[in-house]
Coordinates of all heavy atoms in Angstrom, one line a residue:
A624 N 16.4 -9.7 -3.8 CA 15.7 -10.1 -2.7 C 15.1 -11.5 -3.0 O 14.6 -11.7 -4.1 CB 14.6 -9.2 -2.2
Y625 N 15.2 -12.4 -2.1 CA 14.6 -13.7 -2.3 C 14.2 -14.3 -1.0 O 14.8 -14.0 0.1 CB 15.5 -14.6 -3.0 CG 17.0 -14.7 -2.5 CD1 17.4 -15.6 -1.5 CD2 18.0 -13.7 -2.9 CE1 18.6 -15.5 -0.9 CE2 19.2 -13.7 -2.4 CZ 19.6 -14.7 -1.4 OH 20.9 -14.6 -0.8
G626 N 13.2 -15.3 -1.0 CA 12.8 -15.8 0.2 C 11.6 -16.8 0.1 O 11.2 -17.1 -1.0
L627 N 11.2 -17.3 1.3 CA 10.2 -18.2 1.4 C 9.2 -17.7 2.4 O 9.5 -17.2 3.5 CB 10.7 -19.5 1.9 CG 9.6 -20.7 2.1 CD1 9.1 -21.1 0.7 CD2 10.3 -21.9 2.8
E628 N 7.8 -17.7 2.1 CA 6.8 -17.2 2.9 C 5.8 -18.3 3.3 O 5.4 -19.1 2.4 CB 6.0 -16.1 2.3 CG 6.8 -14.8 2.0 CD 6.1 -13.8 1.2 OE1 5.0 -14.0 0.8 OE2 6.7 -12.7 1.0
L629 N 5.3 -18.4 4.6 CA 4.4 -19.4 4.9 C 3.2 -18.6 5.7 O 3.5 -17.9 6.6 CB 5.0 -20.5 5.8 CG 4.1 -21.6 6.3 CD1 4.9 -23.0 6.4 CD2 3.5 -21.3 7.7
L630 N 2.0 -19.0 5.4 CA 0.9 -18.4 6.0 C -0.2 -19.6 6.3 O -0.7 -20.2 5.5 CB 0.2 -17.4 5.3 CG -1.0 -16.7 5.8 CD1 -0.6 -15.9 7.1 CD2 -1.7 -15.7 4.8
L631 N -0.3 -19.9 7.6 CA -1.3 -21.0 8.1 C -2.4 -20.3 8.8 O -2.1 -19.5 9.8 CB -0.6 -22.0 8.9 CG -1.4 -23.1 9.5 CD1 -2.0 -23.9 8.5 CD2 -0.6 -23.9 10.5
R632 N -3.6 -20.5 8.3 CA -4.7 -19.7 8.9 C -5.8 -20.6 9.5 O -6.0 -21.7 8.9 CB -5.4 -18.8 7.8 CG -4.4 -18.0 7.1 CD -5.0 -17.1 6.1 NE -5.6 -18.0 4.9 CZ -6.1 -17.6 3.8 NH1 -6.2 -16.3 3.6 NH2 -6.5 -18.4 2.9
K633 N -6.5 -20.2 10.5 CA -7.7 -20.8 11.0 C -8.8 -19.8 10.8 O -8.8 -18.7 11.3 CB -7.6 -21.2 12.5 CG -8.9 -21.9 12.9 CD -8.8 -22.3 14.4 CE -10.0 -23.2 14.8 NZ -11.2 -22.5 14.6
N634 N -9.8 -20.1 9.8 CA -10.7 -19.1 9.3 C -12.1 -19.2 10.0 O -12.8 -18.2 9.9 CB -10.9 -19.4 7.9 CG -9.6 -19.2 7.1 OD1 -8.9 -18.3 7.2 ND2 -9.2 -20.3 6.4
E635 N -12.4 -20.3 10.6 CA -13.8 -20.5 11.2 C -13.8 -20.8 12.7 O -12.7 -21.3 13.2 CB -14.5 -21.6 10.4 CG -14.6 -21.5 8.9 CD -15.6 -20.4 8.5 OE1 -16.4 -19.9 9.4 OE2 -15.5 -19.9 7.3
G636 N -14.8 -20.5 13.3 CA -15.0 -20.9 14.7 C -14.8 -19.8 15.7 O -14.5 -18.7 15.3
R637 N -14.9 -20.1 16.9 CA -14.7 -19.0 18.0 C -13.3 -18.5 18.0 O -13.0 -17.4 18.4 CB -15.1 -19.6 19.3 CG -16.7 -19.9 19.3 CD -17.0 -20.5 20.7 NE -16.9 -19.5 21.8 CZ -17.2 -19.8 23.1 NH1 -17.6 -21.1 23.4 NH2 -17.2 -18.9 24.0
F638 N -12.3 -19.4 17.7 CA -10.9 -19.0 17.7 C -10.5 -18.9 16.3 O -10.6 -19.9 15.5 CB -10.0 -20.0 18.5 CG -8.6 -19.7 18.3 CD1 -8.0 -18.6 19.1 CD2 -7.8 -20.4 17.4 CE1 -6.7 -18.3 18.9 CE2 -6.4 -20.1 17.3 CZ -5.9 -19.1 18.0
T639 N -10.0 -17.7 15.9 CA -9.5 -17.5 14.5 C -8.1 -16.9 14.6 O -7.7 -16.3 15.6 CB -10.4 -16.7 13.7 OG1 -10.6 -15.4 14.3 CG2 -11.8 -17.3 13.4
G640 N -7.4 -17.0 13.5 CA -6.0 -16.3 13.6 C -5.0 -17.0 12.5 O -5.6 -17.7 11.7
W641 N -3.8 -16.6 12.6 CA -2.9 -17.1 11.6 C -1.5 -17.1 12.2 O -1.1 -16.3 13.1 CB -2.9 -16.2 10.3 CG -2.5 -14.8 10.4 CD1 -1.2 -14.4 10.3 CD2 -3.3 -13.7 10.6 NE1 -1.2 -13.0 10.4 CE2 -2.4 -12.5 10.5 CE3 -4.7 -13.5 10.8 CZ2 -2.9 -11.3 10.7 CZ3 -5.2 -12.2 10.9 CH2 -4.3 -11.1 10.8
L642 N -0.6 -18.0 11.5 CA 0.8 -18.0 11.8 C 1.5 -17.6 10.5 O 1.2 -18.3 9.5 CB 1.2 -19.4 12.2 CG 2.8 -19.7 12.1 CD1 3.5 -18.9 13.2 CD2 3.0 -21.2 12.4
A643 N 2.4 -16.7 10.6 CA 3.1 -16.1 9.4 C 4.6 -16.3 9.7 O 5.0 -15.8 10.7 CB 2.7 -14.7 9.1
Y644 N 5.3 -16.9 8.6 CA 6.8 -16.9 8.8 C 7.4 -16.5 7.4 O 6.9 -17.0 6.4 CB 7.2 -18.3 9.2 CG 8.6 -18.5 9.1 CD1 9.5 -17.9 10.0 CD2 9.3 -19.4 8.2 CE1 10.9 -18.0 10.0 CE2 10.7 -19.5 8.1 CZ 11.4 -18.8 9.0 OH 12.8 -19.0 9.0
T645 N 8.4 -15.7 7.6 CA 9.2 -15.3 6.3 C 10.6 -15.6 6.6 O 11.2 -15.2 7.6 CB 9.0 -13.8 6.1 OG1 7.6 -13.5 5.9 CG2 9.6 -13.5 4.8
L646 N 11.2 -16.3 5.6 CA 12.7 -16.5 5.6 C 13.2 -15.8 4.3 O 12.8 -16.2 3.2 CB 13.0 -18.0 5.5 CG 14.5 -18.4 5.3 CD1 15.3 -18.0 6.5 CD2 14.6 -19.9 5.1
S647 N 14.0 -14.8 4.4 CA 14.3 -13.9 3.3 C 15.7 -13.3 3.4 O 16.3 -13.3 4.5 CB 13.2 -12.9 3.1 OG 13.3 -12.0 4.2
R648 N 16.1 -12.7 2.3 CA 17.4 -12.1 2.3 C 17.2 -10.9 1.3 O 16.5 -11.0 0.2 CB 18.5 -12.9 1.7 CG 19.8 -12.3 1.5 CD 20.4 -11.8 2.8 NE 21.0 -12.9 3.5 CZ 21.2 -12.9 4.8 NH1 21.1 -11.8 5.5 NH2 21.8 -13.9 5.4
S649 N 17.7 -9.7 1.7 CA 17.6 -8.5 0.8 C 19.0 -7.9 0.7 O 19.6 -7.5 1.8 CB 16.6 -7.4 1.5 OG 16.6 -6.2 0.7
E650 N 19.5 -7.7 -0.5 CA 20.9 -7.2 -0.6 C 21.0 -6.2 -1.7 O 20.1 -6.1 -2.6 CB 21.8 -8.5 -1.0 CG 21.9 -9.5 0.1 CD 22.6 -10.7 -0.4 OE1 22.4 -11.2 -1.6 OE2 23.4 -11.2 0.4
Q651 N 22.0 -5.5 -1.8 CA 22.3 -4.4 -2.7 C 23.8 -4.3 -3.0 O 24.6 -4.6 -2.2 CB 21.7 -3.1 -2.1 CG 21.9 -1.9 -3.1 CD 21.2 -0.7 -2.5 OE1 20.3 -0.8 -1.7 NE2 21.5 0.5 -3.1
R652 N 24.1 -3.8 -4.2 CA 25.5 -3.6 -4.5 C 25.6 -2.6 -5.7 O 24.6 -2.4 -6.4 CB 26.2 -4.9 -5.0 CG 25.9 -5.3 -6.4 CD 26.9 -6.4 -6.7 NE 26.6 -6.9 -8.1 CZ 27.3 -7.8 -8.8 NH1 28.5 -8.4 -8.2 NH2 27.0 -8.2 -10.0
T653 N 26.7 -1.8 -5.7 CA 27.0 -0.8 -6.6 C 28.4 -1.1 -7.2 O 29.4 -0.5 -6.5 CB 26.8 0.5 -6.1 OG1 25.5 0.7 -5.6 CG2 27.0 1.6 -7.2
P654 N 28.6 -1.8 -8.2 CA 30.0 -2.1 -8.7 C 30.5 -0.9 -9.5 O 29.7 0.1 -9.7 CB 29.8 -3.2 -9.8 CG 28.3 -3.1 -10.1 CD 27.6 -2.6 -9.0
G655 N 31.8 -0.9 -9.8 CA 32.3 0.3 -10.5 C 31.7 0.4 -11.9 O 31.3 -0.6 -12.5
R656 N 31.8 1.6 -12.4 CA 31.2 1.9 -13.7 C 32.1 1.3 -14.8 O 31.7 1.2 -16.0 CB 31.0 3.4 -13.9 CG 29.9 3.9 -13.0 CD 29.9 5.4 -13.0 NE 31.1 6.1 -12.5 CZ 31.3 7.4 -12.3 NH1 30.3 8.2 -12.6 NH2 32.4 7.8 -11.7
N657 N 33.4 1.0 -14.5 CA 34.3 0.4 -15.4 C 35.3 -0.4 -14.6 O 35.2 -0.5 -13.4 CB 35.0 1.5 -16.3 CG 35.7 2.6 -15.4 OD1 36.4 2.3 -14.6 ND2 35.3 3.8 -15.7
S658 N 36.3 -1.0 -15.2 CA 37.2 -1.9 -14.6 C 38.1 -1.1 -13.7 O 38.8 -1.8 -12.9 CB 38.0 -2.7 -15.7 OG 38.7 -1.8 -16.5
Q659 N 38.2 0.2 -13.8 CA 39.2 0.9 -13.0 C 38.5 1.3 -11.6 O 39.3 1.7 -10.7 CB 39.6 2.2 -13.7 CG 40.2 2.0 -15.2 CD 41.4 1.1 -15.1 OE1 42.3 1.3 -14.3 NE2 41.5 0.2 -16.0
E660 N 37.3 1.3 -11.6 CA 36.5 1.7 -10.3 C 36.2 0.6 -9.4 O 35.9 -0.5 -9.9 CB 35.3 2.5 -10.6 CG 35.5 3.7 -11.5 CD 34.2 4.6 -11.7 OE1 33.2 4.1 -11.1 OE2 34.3 5.5 -12.5
I661 N 36.3 0.8 -8.1 CA 36.0 -0.3 -7.2 C 34.6 -0.3 -6.8 O 34.1 -1.3 -6.2 CB 36.9 0.0 -5.9 CG1 36.5 1.2 -5.1 CG2 38.3 -0.1 -6.1 CD1 37.1 1.4 -3.8
G662 N 33.8 0.7 -7.1 CA 32.4 0.8 -6.6 C 32.2 1.1 -5.2 O 33.2 1.4 -4.5
I663 N 31.0 1.0 -4.7 CA 30.7 1.2 -3.3 C 30.8 -0.1 -2.6 O 30.3 -1.1 -3.0 CB 29.3 1.9 -3.2 CG1 29.3 3.3 -3.8 CG2 28.8 2.0 -1.8 CD1 27.9 4.0 -3.9
N664 N 31.4 0.0 -1.4 CA 31.6 -1.2 -0.6 C 32.4 -2.2 -1.4 O 32.2 -3.4 -1.3 CB 30.2 -1.8 -0.1 CG 30.4 -2.8 1.0 OD1 31.0 -2.6 2.0 ND2 29.8 -4.0 0.8
N665 N 33.4 -1.7 -2.2 CA 34.2 -2.5 -3.0 C 33.4 -3.3 -4.1 O 33.9 -4.3 -4.7 CB 35.1 -3.5 -2.2 CG 36.1 -2.8 -1.3 OD1 36.7 -1.8 -1.8 ND2 36.3 -3.2 -0.1
G666 N 32.3 -2.8 -4.4 CA 31.5 -3.5 -5.4 C 30.8 -4.8 -4.9 O 30.2 -5.5 -5.7
D667 N 30.9 -5.1 -3.6 CA 30.4 -6.4 -3.0 C 28.9 -6.2 -2.6 O 28.4 -5.1 -2.4 CB 31.2 -6.8 -1.9 CG 32.6 -7.1 -2.2 OD1 32.9 -7.5 -3.3 OD2 33.5 -6.9 -1.3
W668 N 28.2 -7.3 -2.7 CA 26.9 -7.3 -2.1 C 26.9 -7.0 -0.6 O 27.7 -7.4 0.1 CB 26.2 -8.6 -2.3 CG 25.8 -8.9 -3.8 CD1 26.6 -9.8 -4.6 CD2 24.7 -8.5 -4.5 NE1 25.9 -9.8 -5.9 CE2 24.8 -9.0 -5.8 CE3 23.7 -7.6 -4.2 CZ2 23.8 -8.8 -6.8 CZ3 22.7 -7.4 -5.2 CH2 22.7 -7.9 -6.5
Y669 N 25.9 -6.2 -0.2 CA 25.8 -6.0 1.3 C 24.3 -5.9 1.6 O 23.5 -5.7 0.7 CB 26.5 -4.6 1.7 CG 25.8 -3.4 1.1 CD1 24.9 -2.7 1.8 CD2 26.4 -2.8 0.0 CE1 24.3 -1.6 1.3 CE2 25.8 -1.7 -0.6 CZ 24.8 -1.0 0.1 OH 24.3 0.1 -0.4
K670 N 24.0 -6.3 2.9 CA 22.6 -6.3 3.3 C 22.0 -4.9 3.4 O 22.6 -4.0 3.8 CB 22.6 -7.0 4.7 CG 23.1 -8.4 4.7 CD 23.0 -9.0 6.1 CE 24.0 -8.5 7.1 NZ 25.4 -9.0 6.7
T671 N 20.8 -4.8 2.9 CA 20.1 -3.6 2.9 C 19.7 -3.3 4.4 O 19.8 -4.1 5.3 CB 18.8 -3.6 2.1 OG1 17.9 -4.5 2.6 CG2 19.2 -4.0 0.6
N672 N 19.2 -2.0 4.6 CA 18.9 -1.6 6.0 C 17.6 -2.3 6.5 O 17.4 -2.2 7.7 CB 18.7 -0.1 6.0 CG 20.0 0.7 5.8 OD1 21.0 0.3 6.1 ND2 19.8 1.9 5.3
F673 N 16.9 -2.9 5.6 CA 15.6 -3.6 6.0 C 15.7 -5.1 5.7 O 14.8 -5.7 5.6 CB 14.5 -3.0 5.2 CG 14.8 -2.4 3.9 CD1 14.9 -3.3 2.8 CD2 15.1 -1.1 3.8 CE1 15.1 -2.8 1.5 CE2 15.5 -0.6 2.5 CZ 15.5 -1.4 1.4
D674 N 16.9 -5.6 5.7 CA 17.1 -7.1 5.6 C 16.8 -7.8 7.0 O 17.4 -7.4 8.0 CB 18.5 -7.4 5.3 CG 18.8 -8.9 5.2 OD1 18.4 -9.6 4.3 OD2 19.5 -9.3 6.2
K675 N 15.8 -8.7 6.9 CA 15.5 -9.5 8.2 C 15.3 -10.9 7.7 O 14.2 -11.3 7.3 CB 14.2 -8.9 8.8 CG 14.3 -7.5 9.3 CD 12.9 -7.1 9.9 CE 13.0 -5.7 10.5 NZ 11.7 -5.3 11.1
P676 N 16.3 -11.8 8.0 CA 16.3 -13.1 7.5 C 15.1 -13.9 8.2 O 14.4 -14.8 7.5 CB 17.6 -13.8 8.0 CG 18.5 -12.6 8.1 CD 17.7 -11.4 8.5
H677 N 14.7 -13.7 9.4 CA 13.7 -14.4 10.1 C 12.6 -13.4 10.6 O 12.9 -12.4 11.3 CB 14.2 -15.3 11.3 CG 15.2 -16.3 10.8 ND1 14.8 -17.5 10.2 CD2 16.6 -16.2 10.8 CE1 15.9 -18.2 9.9 NE2 17.0 -17.4 10.3
D678 N 11.3 -13.7 10.3 CA 10.2 -12.9 10.7 C 9.0 -13.8 11.0 O 8.5 -14.5 10.1 CB 9.8 -11.9 9.6 CG 8.9 -10.8 10.1 OD1 8.2 -11.0 11.1 OD2 8.8 -9.8 9.4

Side-chain angles (χ1 to χ4, degrees):
Y625 47 92
L627 179 71
E628 298 172 356
L629 181 146
L630 180 62
L631 177 63
R632 307 177 295 185
K633 186 178 186 301
N634 302 305
E635 304 286 347
R637 297 177 67 180
F638 174 76
T639 58
W641 67 85
L642 164 67
Y644 172 66
T645 305
L646 173 66
S647 64
R648 175 69 74 198
S649 175
E650 298 173 317
Q651 182 172 341
R652 75 169 178 176
T653 305
R656 293 168 295 184
N657 54 57
S658 60
Q659 305 301 315
E660 298 184 6
I661 63 172
I663 294 177
N664 196 51
N665 293 319
D667 297 330
W668 289 101
Y669 65 90
K670 297 181 285 289
T671 64
N672 293 332
F673 29 88
D674 174 73
K675 294 183 179 180
H677 300 282
D678 190 339

